[in-house]
Amino acid sequence: EAGVAQSPRYKIIEKRQSVAFWCNPISGHATLYWYQQILGQGPKLLIQFQNNGVVDDSQLPKDRFSAERLKGVDSTLKIQPAKLEDSAVYLCASSGGTSVYNEQFFGPGTRLTVL
Amino acid sequence: AQKVTQAQTEISVVEKEDVTLDCVYETRDTTYYLFWYKQPPSGELVFLIRRNSFDEQNEISGRYSWNFQKSTSSFNFTITASQVVDSAVYFCALIGRGSQGNLIFGKGTKLSVKP
């Protein structure tokens, strides 16, 4: 079974530029998560989708971050404009079933560096 | 409020030594789940175990074992006869009843196993 796919793996941009990350969850997984992991810390949830609807985006900085999950499969996370403090690894995860307690399977992440 | 504390930032051991990674959690929920994830240098978070709040039985899987104690709000992880391949950052995480799948991570413990 293929895992969670993410691209690109690495991205370097200047501050105030925009950037987008892509995620393809495990086939059949209805729930998709985006996490931000700053160096030396644990991941922090940005947004959670159930199919193509948003379940929780309370920690998403909506003035600059946006995310969508068209057709309930792939998802895109965008930052516009980027700030220095957005430098982090952006992790996508997915889980199957209906329980919120199911284990989440993570992709390899996108490492963003903002200069 | 929910919180996970991993007090050990870094641990270094020599191969074949046993090592215990500590995890202390805080939650007001009576129903919750605890998780351990491994993050090797490649960056991908690998699921290790999930435990619900009603099951305090210790669990063993090969060289890995977990000790869950509700009385001390701890969920510790022991690696027996450590190997170099165990070198990684290990995260403890919590999902509470009201968090809708939002994994609350600790800051992680970096384990280095030297030959």
Side-chain angles (χ1 to χ4, degrees), chain A residues 2-9 22-26 32-35 37 43 89-94 104-110, chain B residues 37-40 42-47:
Chain A
V4 176
Q6 289 188 248
S7 68
R9 290 296 312 276
W22 174 83
C23 172
N24 182 235
I26 292 173
L32 184 147
Y33 311 80
W34 283 102
Y35 287 85
Q37 185 178 17
V89 176
Y90 290 85
L91 294 163
C92 180
S94 69
Q104 297 175 23
F105 296 91
F106 285 79
T110 297
Chain B
Y37 281 86
K38 174 182 180 180
Q39 189 172 44
S42 60
E44 190 165 336
L45 279 159
V46 178
F47 167 77

Side-chain angles (χ1 to χ4, degrees), chain A residues 18 30 50 61 64 69 86 91 94 102 111-113:
Chain A
S18 63
Q50 179 83 15
R64 298 182 300 105
R69 191 182 184 196
D86 298 332
L91 294 163
S94 69
N102 287 342
R111 182 178 297 276
L112 174 67
T113 302

Side-chain angles (χ1 to χ4, degrees), chain A residues 1-80:
Chain A
E1 177 181 84
V4 176
Q6 289 188 248
S7 68
R9 290 296 312 276
Y10 305 91
K11 191 75 177 179
I12 300 174
I13 61 172
E14 301 275 337
K15 61 182 179 184
R16 289 188 289 273
Q17 285 186 324
S18 63
V19 64
F21 312 128
W22 174 83
C23 172
N24 182 235
I26 292 173
S27 177
H29 280 192
T31 310
L32 184 147
Y33 311 80
W34 283 102
Y35 287 85
Q36 179 192 58
Q37 185 178 17
I38 292 173
L39 186 65
Q41 298 185 19
K44 183 187 81 172
L45 182 72
L46 292 175
I47 188 167
Q48 176 187 350
F49 292 93
Q50 179 83 15
N51 296 309
N52 60 351
V54 175
V55 174
D56 182 359
D57 63 356
S58 57
Q59 299 187 91
L60 187 73
K62 298 180 187 62
D63 57 333
R64 298 182 300 105
F65 286 66
S66 64
E68 60 182 9
R69 191 182 184 196
L70 300 175
K71 300 180 182 179
V73 182
D74 294 8
S75 178
T76 303
L77 176 69
K78 296 179 181 177
I79 307 175
Q80 182 181 12

